[in-house]
Amino acid sequence: MGKTLFDKVWDAHTVRSVEGRDILFIDRHYIHEVTSPVAFSGLAGRGLELFRPDRTTAMADHNIPTVGQERPIPEGQSRVQVDTLTDNCRRYGVEIFPIGSPSHGIVHVAAPEAGLTQPGMTIVCGDSHTSTHGAFGAVAFGVGTSEVEMVFASQCIIQPKPKRMRITVDGELAPGVEAKDLILYIISGISSSGGTGYFIEFAGSAVRSLSMEGRMTVCNMSIECGARGGMIAPDAVTFDYMRSRDRVPSGAEWDAAVERWSALFTDEDAVFDKEYRFDAADIEPMITFGTNPGMAVPVTGVVPSGEGLTGSDRVSFDKALSYMGFGEGEPMEGRKVDYVFLGSCTNGRIEDFRRFANAVKGRRKADGVTVWLVPGSKRVEMQARREGLVNILEEAGFELRQPGCSACLAMNDDKIPAGAYCVSTSNRNFEGRQGPGARTMLAGASVAAAAAVTGRVTDPRELFKM
């Protein structure tokens, strides 16, 4: 029997198995200011050194400000966390991408840009959206603080091996439909717990047609259906993205690497534990109406009925609608929007800013709407300036902020006020995720752009004639 892509990578990194769990060697470890301090303290408490500092890369991203980064961080706890990360990296010889440097950004955006993320790797980070890196054909997943310490000490981690799932999306995505719509459609179809216990491989012609930015968006949100992570087989799109990046091999070594990476695919006779198939033609621009990413409908749709739900499912459904202030059968289009957020490790890449800028070109920001446009990295910010996107945005009344996680999780000053509605290109719409009492509607860059210039939930295909 053949092997899945996941099996090929996982098995190649298994040192040995103990009582149903695998000791997995980790190729690349990313850390940030929130989860690493306790792990570093644990290492020091046991009198241990970092085993492989050359395989660890750090950057502050979660709670840094997105305005005034050239000045000291004003908020005390955030400043302490960032300073502690810097001190620990200096103490243990870990490479850090400093705030404001050309390499800095959200770790799941900046690391692939630097060429650190490569096909066939095992990658972990103390952050749930480490699954992003699976877009390169890597096995990548988030870990807890004690596991961060484990990797510090041994460059290995103990894990049960997940089951395998394949989600195939064939056909062509319609104009105006993007990767964020694809993954929201999938999660709404299998539910926010449908992937629990699995590692997902995304396949099919619609997935292969995505850019690397789009593939990272899909894998980023694979965990929002409960999966351990998601991955996509590397191909020419992958290699073109990686070519000539800072940390990838060059010359003969590049050729050898591509030959090696090209063998990373699922064998034809491989068997998955579960499979789903979707038709790309059925996917429309999507938006969420509830408090988990599985509660999503087409932007032209209505809040669904909870008819047929029983027990805790019905209670959760009613609670979500009450929190959002929505009613069954109400249309999503036309709803007033108070905030729009473009950014995060889900949609903070240059493709997202191109899409947003092209959509709002020649229009004006709607009165009464606060719009935060936060690039996922310094590279994205600089490229947006080089391409003239910033000029387009400024002419339309928008302002580009500085890189960081920002309003994705409201750990800095970028918080949505209680009761306000935000169309957000981030990955989670949990209660209070963007600020206490904030009401989040997840969507892609096109839907966000339409909301930013109309002040309401709007079908971008009608507005921009896509």
Side-chain angles (χ1 to χ4, degrees), residues 12 14 52 83-84 142 154 163 168 186 190 208 223 233 312 322 330 338 377 394 431 434 447 452 464:
T14 299
R52 291 295 301 272
D83 289 346
T84 300
S154 67
K163 294 181 289 185
T168 303
I186 289 172
I190 70 174
R208 291 194 300 273
I223 63 163
S312 61
S322 175
E330 293 180 355
D338 304 297
S377 71
E394 289 178 347
E431 291 187 21
Q434 292 193 288
V447 174
F464 307 132

Side-chain angles (χ1 to χ4, degrees), residues 172-403:
E172 293 185 13
L173 295 173
V177 177
E178 56 193 87
K180 183 65 162 290
D181 303 314
L182 184 150
I183 188 62
L184 284 175
Y185 180 84
I186 289 172
I187 299 171
S188 70
I190 70 174
S191 85
S192 60
S193 60
T196 302
Y198 294 89
F199 215 98
I200 300 173
E201 179 180 347
F202 296 97
S205 57
V207 172
R208 291 194 300 273
S209 72
L210 296 174
S211 65
M212 281 311 299
E213 284 88 349
R215 295 179 186 191
M216 283 187 268
T217 294
V218 169
C219 289
N220 173 275
M221 290 195 66
S222 60
I223 63 163
E224 304 306 340
C225 63
R228 195 70 179 96
M231 62 195 310
I232 297 170
D235 58 14
V237 174
T238 317
F239 308 146
D240 287 345
Y241 176 92
M242 296 180 64
R243 195 184 308 273
S244 301
R245 293 195 180 269
D246 298 344
R247 304 300 179 88
V248 300
S250 59
E253 290 184 1
W254 166 260
D255 294 336
V258 170
E259 182 177 0
R260 185 173 66 253
W261 296 335
S262 297
L264 295 172
F265 57 85
T266 291
D267 298 329
E268 287 189 9
D269 56 343
V271 176
F272 289 84
D273 297 291
K274 183 175 284 190
E275 296 216 41
Y276 289 98
R277 287 187 173 274
F278 297 96
D279 187 342
D282 296 333
I283 304 174
E284 299 181 54
M286 301 287 289
I287 194 164
T288 59
F289 63 88
T291 54
N292 72 61
M295 303 176 81
V297 293
V299 71
T300 57
V302 300
V303 177
S305 167
E307 184 178 355
L309 296 177
T310 59
S312 61
D313 289 339
R314 181 72 212 202
V315 171
S316 296
F317 180 82
D318 290 342
K319 185 176 181 230
L321 293 197
S322 175
Y323 181 84
M324 292 297 294
F326 292 168
E328 298 176 38
E330 293 180 355
M332 292 302 298
E333 279 191 288
R335 292 189 174 277
K336 182 178 180 295
V337 172
D338 304 297
Y339 283 75
V340 171
F341 170 54
L342 176 71
S344 83
C345 61
T346 313
N347 285 116
R349 298 179 180 82
I350 189 62
E351 179 178 270
D352 303 302
F353 282 83
R354 288 173 183 150
R355 192 184 302 271
F356 190 99
N358 290 337
V360 303
K361 186 176 183 179
R363 299 176 183 271
R364 292 290 300 174
K365 184 179 79 69
D367 292 338
V369 179
T370 299
V371 181
W372 291 331
L373 307 179
V374 185
S377 71
K378 197 69 176 178
R379 279 187 173 93
V380 173
E381 178 189 338
M382 292 188 295
Q383 190 166 349
R385 296 187 186 282
R386 285 195 301 270
E387 294 182 10
L389 303 183
V390 174
N391 295 334
I392 294 172
L393 295 171
E394 289 178 347
E395 288 173 4
F398 300 100
E399 178 184 354
L400 193 71
R401 296 166 84 92
Q402 293 170 304

Side-chain angles (χ1 to χ4, degrees), residues 6 39 56 99 108 116 126 166 201-202 206 312 326 351 397 413 425 450:
F6 169 76
T56 301
I99 297 172
H108 306 313
L116 287 166
R166 180 164 58 188
E201 179 180 347
F202 296 97
S312 61
F326 292 168
E351 179 178 270
D413 289 336
T425 65

Side-chain angles (χ1 to χ4, degrees), residues 52-117:
R52 291 295 301 272
D54 59 310
R55 292 182 177 268
T56 301
T57 304
M59 58 194 84
D61 55 10
H62 274 57
N63 54 9
I64 61 174
T66 58
V67 174
Q69 289 183 356
E70 64 281 1
R71 302 188 294 271
I73 297 174
E75 200 279 315
Q77 183 176 354
S78 297
R79 184 173 61 253
V80 168
Q81 286 185 315
V82 172
D83 289 346
T84 300
L85 175 67
T86 303
D87 292 344
N88 280 325
C89 288
R90 185 182 301 114
R91 158 70 178 84
Y92 289 96
V94 172
E95 177 185 41
I96 185 169
F97 292 178
I99 297 172
S101 69
S103 57
H104 178 256
I106 302 172
V107 65
H108 306 313
V109 178
E113 289 175 336
L116 287 166
T117 297

